[in-house]
Amino acid sequence: MLASPGHAGARLFMFILKPLGDKRIGLLWSSQLLSATGAEFYMVAVIWIASSLIGRDAGYVSALQSGALLFGSLFAGALTDRWRHATTMVGVSLFRAALLLLLAAASAFGFMSLPLLAVTAGAVALATSVYDPALQATLPILAPGTSIRHAVNGLFDATRRMARILGPSLIALVNGLVPIGQFFAITAGGFLLSALGVRAALKGAPLPAPPETRRGLSSVLDAIMGGARAVRHHRLMHFGLIADFVGNVTWSMGVLLGMALYLRMTSAEPLTAYSLMMTAYGAGNLAANLVLAGITPKRPLLWLVMSKLTFGLGVLLMPFAPNTAALMACAALAAVNGPFENLALLHIIQHDFPPQRIAQVYRLQMCAVFGGSLIGYLAAPSLFAAFGLAPMIATLGAVTLATGLVGLALSRLLHGPRPT
């Protein structure tokens, strides 16, 4: 007798949540959710304060953060590869909390300035580039089985998706009650609680000690180039990095900045329309994540292709949506891309590369993400001025869609032999 769709869905949901029964994974996941939700307050506060100081050029503050993330992804490993991952995550969380408490104090006492905001935002971004690879290198050790590891990847990927729903909701709740400058204090509180949770989760965990590395220039070069060397014969990872780069140019220039500017020009209630669009995006992200977390990507290339097709089509249609409901539908379609891409890339990184290279390869992926965002933010002003908002947003969607079609056309080549 076949199980009903409801029973099958319930079993899938329980399978996805099962790893949270492990105390270490549950604590670490809760810490990550706190950190991600607090980060939503931080992002709103940075953009809001920057826009009040320099107007529409506030996008350059976002470019600075992307540049710091890219720099950290390239070079921070020369230092942090010698640290234990638990030490890295706890230390980074405390460091970010201290920086944000400084911003909260500056805002409270009237000392906020653009240089202080920019330098602190860059430092926070640099620290973030250190935290994420350490987390990703820890997860395979806490969840060694293939199927359970994929469910864990889905759960941790979902923290960002959930934060995109929880964060705006909480911001709406406290807006008007809490000054915008004190959003930094809320984020700092989230990072402090996250540090405590990570410390409790990983205390006594069987995490390997940092590998013995040679000192001097050779160790620095290995930390910087190790990821690139590891993927040099991995054609599927090459495509994944290119697709990630293209998608993040489109995300930063077309969705985050482009649609905000476009709705300000065309909508009677631009902030409401933009908020609803992003809420739909977050809901689509989370729904896709919950479904895909229970399905192991046996052919990760198809997941990468699907991510570019859905994202490209959704962005292509956004500026032509006739009403807010249609815009939300386009955003929900585009949002499917995130879990497809992230879970496929995590699967490839964790299964095709040795443990000592996981953090380095993940940093290489972060370079593709933040490099794409940096170029998107920097190129946006001149491209929007030259070609217009709607045509440029649609073009970005079309290029992303074409990337997926290219991956599909090259599927036989990209499924070549994997490295041992």
Side-chain angles (χ1 to χ4, degrees):
M1 182 177 179
L2 294 175
S4 68
H7 288 153
R11 286 201 302 271
L12 175 63
F13 188 66
M14 292 306 296
F15 172 76
I16 296 169
L17 295 181
K18 184 179 179 180
L20 294 180
D22 183 302
K23 182 180 178 181
R24 296 187 190 281
I25 294 175
L27 276 172
L28 194 59
W29 183 86
S30 301
S31 301
Q32 187 66 8
L33 181 60
L34 274 172
S35 178
T37 303
E40 292 294 319
F41 281 84
Y42 167 75
M43 290 170 60
V44 170
V46 167
I47 290 296
W48 195 269
I49 293 175
S51 63
S52 69
L53 293 172
I54 55 175
R56 61 185 178 184
D57 289 336
Y60 288 117
V61 175
S62 297
L64 171 66
Q65 293 182 90
S66 296
L69 287 162
L70 176 60
F71 181 86
S73 300
L74 282 170
F75 299 110
L79 177 64
T80 60
D81 280 352
R82 302 173 184 174
W83 301 346
R84 292 182 180 273
H85 295 315
T87 302
T88 299
M89 288 188 281
V90 171
V92 165
S93 294
L94 294 175
F95 178 68
R96 290 187 295 186
L99 289 174
L100 294 175
L101 287 174
L102 173 64
L103 283 182
S107 179
F109 293 104
F111 297 123
M112 181 62 72
S113 66
L114 182 62
L116 176 62
L117 180 67
V119 170
T120 307
V124 170
L126 195 61
T128 300
S129 71
V130 172
Y131 183 96
D132 290 345
L135 173 65
Q136 294 305 324
T138 300
L139 295 182
I141 299 167
L142 298 182
T146 300
S147 60
I148 198 69
R149 185 185 303 169
H150 181 68
V152 168
N153 286 340
L155 280 169
F156 278 82
D157 189 56
T159 57
R160 288 182 295 166
R161 323 295 177 190
M162 295 172 68
R164 286 177 181 164
I165 299 173
L166 290 173
S169 300
L170 293 174
I171 288 170
L173 183 65
V174 303
N175 188 29
L177 301 175
V178 178
I180 192 73
Q182 296 314 302
F183 281 18
F184 295 124
I186 294 174
T187 304
F191 284 149
L192 287 172
L193 292 174
S194 176
L196 293 175
V198 170
R199 185 177 184 277
L202 300 183
K203 185 178 182 180
L207 301 179
E212 290 293 330
T213 58
R214 292 171 294 174
R215 302 289 177 177
L217 181 61
S218 61
S219 65
V220 173
L221 290 176
D222 182 68
I224 295 172
M225 301 299 297
R229 290 169 179 165
V231 307
R232 66 185 181 276
H233 299 307
H234 200 299
R235 291 173 294 196
L236 180 55
M237 195 65 194
H238 295 169
F239 174 74
L241 293 172
I242 293 170
D244 217 358
F245 177 85
V246 172
N248 278 278
V249 172
T250 301
W251 168 249
S252 59
M253 189 193 308
V255 179
L256 290 181
L257 183 58
M259 285 305 299
L261 296 173
Y262 180 73
L263 290 172
R264 286 176 67 93
M265 290 177 54
T266 61
S267 176
E269 295 289 342
L271 183 57
T272 299
Y274 188 77
S275 298
L276 290 172
M277 181 191 78
M278 295 306 294
T279 299
Y281 192 93
N285 255 187
L286 183 58
N289 181 280
L290 292 175
V291 172
L292 295 177
I295 305 171
T296 302
K298 296 180 180 179
R299 298 190 67 187
L301 172 61
L302 294 183
W303 287 43
L304 294 173
V305 167
M306 184 61 69
S307 76
K308 298 302 105 179
L309 295 180
T310 53
F311 188 54
L313 183 59
V315 175
L316 174 62
L317 296 175
M318 277 183 185
F320 306 112
N323 51 52
T324 301
L327 177 62
M328 292 175 69
C330 293
L333 171 63
V336 172
N337 96 94
F340 266 118
E341 181 173 73
N342 293 345
L343 294 179
L345 287 173
L346 285 175
H347 179 84
I348 295 168
I349 291 171
Q350 293 175 355
H351 288 78
D352 291 3
F353 299 97
Q356 68 271 22
R357 294 297 183 190
I358 288 178
Q360 293 178 335
V361 176
Y362 188 78
R363 282 199 294 267
L364 188 64
Q365 186 209 342
M366 289 173 65
C367 288
V369 171
F370 302 129
S373 295
L374 176 62
I375 289 178
Y377 283 126
L378 291 177
S382 57
L383 290 177
F384 286 151
F387 300 105
L389 288 169
M392 196 62 228
I393 293 170
T395 299
L396 290 166
V399 170
T400 306
L401 183 65
T403 304
L405 295 175
V406 168
L408 192 60
L410 297 178
S411 58
R412 183 171 297 180
L413 174 64
L414 295 175
H415 272 302
R418 291 180 176 179
T420 57

